[in-house]
Amino acid sequence: MQSISSKGLSDRSLVALAVLNFFLADARDGLGPFVDGFLATKGWSPMTLGFIATLGGVLGMIATPLFGAWVDASRHKRMLIIIPVVLVTAAALWTLSSPNNASVFGGQSATAIVGAVIGPALMGLTLGLVGEQQFPHQVSRNEFWNHLGNVVSLAGIYFATVMFGLTGIVGLMILTAAASVVAVLAIDPNRIDHAVARGLGHDDGTPGPSGYSVLVGSKGLILLAVVLMIFHFGNAPISRLIAQNFSIQLGTPFRTTAIITGVAQLSMIAMALAAPNLIRRFGLATVFVIALLALPIRGAIAGSFTSYASIFPVQILDGIGAGLIGIATPIAAERILSGTGRFNVGLAAVMTVQGIGASSSNVVAGWLTDIGGYGLAYWVHGGIAAVALAAFIAGRKSIAPDPANGTSKPGDVSVTPGSASI
């Protein structure tokens, strides 16, 4: 396995991986954050929208660990990204063209199920391309291109809506899906080390075991999953509620959601750029603490101020919290499971447990909004995140262990001088 420290983006497969992450930002989630604002302006209530999000989350939870084991065993990881992208795009177009019960519940359910394979497949593909040592830095690179793609996509959606209405949205969705497929196909399949991709750092020819039991067999993985479950229970509904609230007030769901989401994505780009240096200098545990601390502050600001201007600090903090968590989670899972051959299924199990928090929170948030308004929901969900911070501090040594090679400081990212550029 060749090191990427000196290659950067000069390698064709890594260029293709960057392009994939750029376009996958839009193609992997279908309507993504726009579904709430779009349906809210069509008369759908916060409680119903919360139920839809919960249903999708439950279906995704059921599918994710199965898909993680599938990714571990499969030597066709590129197809495990291509097929879901095509199906997710088709489901989103169905919802846009006819937003009735069948298309909304059916389309969002299908998106949740088939979309659940993309995350494990992308992480397995990344690990198989770059190896354990360069994996933390490549995760940051992936996140940078993903969030940059989100920002460009959001700007495109904003202007496409102004100029062409829903027709512009449809065109952009087809374009990003097609570009994602082309990018996947440009990755050289011979460059993917499938043993390394499943977390077998030293393959002796014996297949590494994959199974859901990996979660209950690892204290660090259990604690990581619990912390993320609490974090996502608090964090998941806030952006959705903000999009619903201001889309109804302003009557422009796509443009309003594009701005709201774009602020968070710009913040996430900054975090993707900063994360390698933060991890190297202060350690992985400190990055987790920063991410978890951002959410209680976010909830307090959202609950205290009702003006449109409040979305800027609220969504910047979303970018800090969710952005750093998105980078730190696979790095922590890889360290915990290094050498076991269970990386993809272990990460998928963690994603499943965090999905319990994210899914259940949507119904709770809808109920809180119905009985006490958006402010009550912001305060409750932001406050819950303090529990996640306390849980992490208690179990930080197991959740964010030192790198397996033991040759560097706690939290070090293996990056050669001058290779920190994305």
Side-chain angles (χ1 to χ4, degrees):
M1 177 60 59
Q2 296 178 335
S3 170
I4 67 165
S5 60
S6 61
K7 283 181 173 290
L9 288 180
S10 63
D11 181 281
R12 189 196 81 181
S13 291
L14 295 183
V15 172
L17 184 62
V19 174
L20 172 62
N21 278 280
F22 181 88
F23 285 106
L24 202 59
D26 190 51
R28 70 184 295 174
D29 296 322
L31 288 175
F34 295 96
V35 67
D36 279 276
F38 175 63
L39 294 178
T41 59
K42 301 293 182 181
W44 294 64
S45 70
M47 187 66 187
T48 304
L49 294 174
F51 177 77
I52 292 169
T54 295
L55 175 63
V58 170
L59 293 173
M61 273 190 318
I62 295 171
T64 297
L66 302 176
F67 288 148
W70 189 10
V71 171
D72 272 342
S74 175
R75 300 184 68 84
H76 303 285
K77 293 178 176 60
R78 298 187 308 164
M79 293 305 297
L80 294 182
I81 295 176
I82 291 173
I83 294 174
V85 164
V86 173
L87 294 177
V88 165
T89 302
L93 294 176
W94 181 26
T95 301
L96 273 181
S97 64
S98 178
N100 53 37
N101 286 339
S103 66
V104 172
F105 283 93
Q108 294 306 301
S109 297
T111 296
I113 293 171
V114 300
V117 74
I118 296 178
L122 184 61
M123 285 297 105
L125 186 67
T126 299
L127 184 56
L129 281 172
V130 305
E132 286 185 16
Q133 189 176 22
Q134 293 296 332
F135 180 68
H137 189 59
Q138 188 60 44
V139 169
S140 294
R141 283 178 168 171
N142 286 0
E143 289 296 297
F144 170 84
W145 290 108
N146 180 267
H147 297 312
L148 182 61
N150 259 315
V151 171
V152 173
S153 171
L154 291 166
I157 288 172
Y158 183 95
F159 290 109
T161 305
V162 172
M163 297 176 66
F164 305 107
L166 285 181
T167 303
I169 305 297
V170 170
L172 281 175
M173 292 184 67
I174 295 173
L175 174 63
T176 55
S180 297
V181 171
V182 171
V184 174
L185 293 175
I187 295 174
D188 182 0
N190 296 320
R191 281 288 312 278
I192 305 169
D193 188 325
H194 293 282
V196 172
R198 66 190 295 166
L200 280 172
H202 306 284
D203 188 12
D204 60 2
T206 303
S210 287
Y212 191 70
S213 61
V214 65
L215 179 64
V216 297
S218 170
K219 175 185 176 182
L221 211 61
I222 292 173
L223 292 174
L224 175 63
V226 170
V227 168
L228 293 176
M229 178 179 68
I230 300 170
F231 173 83
H232 285 284
F233 182 89
N235 192 60
I238 295 181
S239 289
R240 291 182 50 255
L241 295 177
I242 291 172
Q244 291 175 33
N245 185 13
F246 288 104
S247 291
I248 293 171
Q249 287 186 37
L250 302 176
T252 55
F254 285 98
R255 280 178 280 172
T256 300
T257 305
I259 294 172
I260 290 170
T261 310
V263 172
Q265 292 297 322
L266 287 170
S267 178
M268 289 179 187
I269 288 175
M271 292 304 100
L273 290 170
N277 287 331
L278 288 174
I279 295 172
R280 184 175 62 249
R281 184 170 181 180
F282 300 108
L284 187 61
T286 300
V287 170
F288 268 108
V289 170
I290 295 171
L292 295 170
L293 188 59
L295 181 53
I297 301 172
R298 183 186 184 216
I301 294 173
S304 300
F305 303 96
T306 59
S307 68
Y308 184 77
S310 68
I311 70 165
F312 293 97
V314 168
Q315 292 304 90
I316 288 171
L317 287 167
D318 181 35
I320 294 172
L324 290 178
I325 283 289
I327 293 169
T329 297
I331 295 173
E334 191 278 327
R335 289 186 184 179
I336 293 168
L337 298 170
S338 178
T340 66
R342 304 180 182 185
F343 168 66
N344 293 296
V345 72
L347 179 60
V350 170
M351 291 167 66
T352 298
V353 175
Q354 80 175 33
I356 295 174
S359 301
S360 58
S361 71
N362 291 305
V363 167
V364 174
W367 173 69
L368 289 170
T369 302
D370 280 349
I371 65 171
Y374 289 103
L376 175 63
Y378 297 146
W379 274 108
V380 171
H381 284 279
I384 286 170
V387 180
L389 178 60
F392 174 80
I393 291 173
R396 63 189 181 282
K397 292 183 179 179
S398 297
I399 298 171
D402 293 354
N405 59 24
T407 61
S408 51
K409 296 181 298 180
D412 276 1
V413 178
S414 300
V415 184
T416 59
S419 66
S421 61
I422 299 298

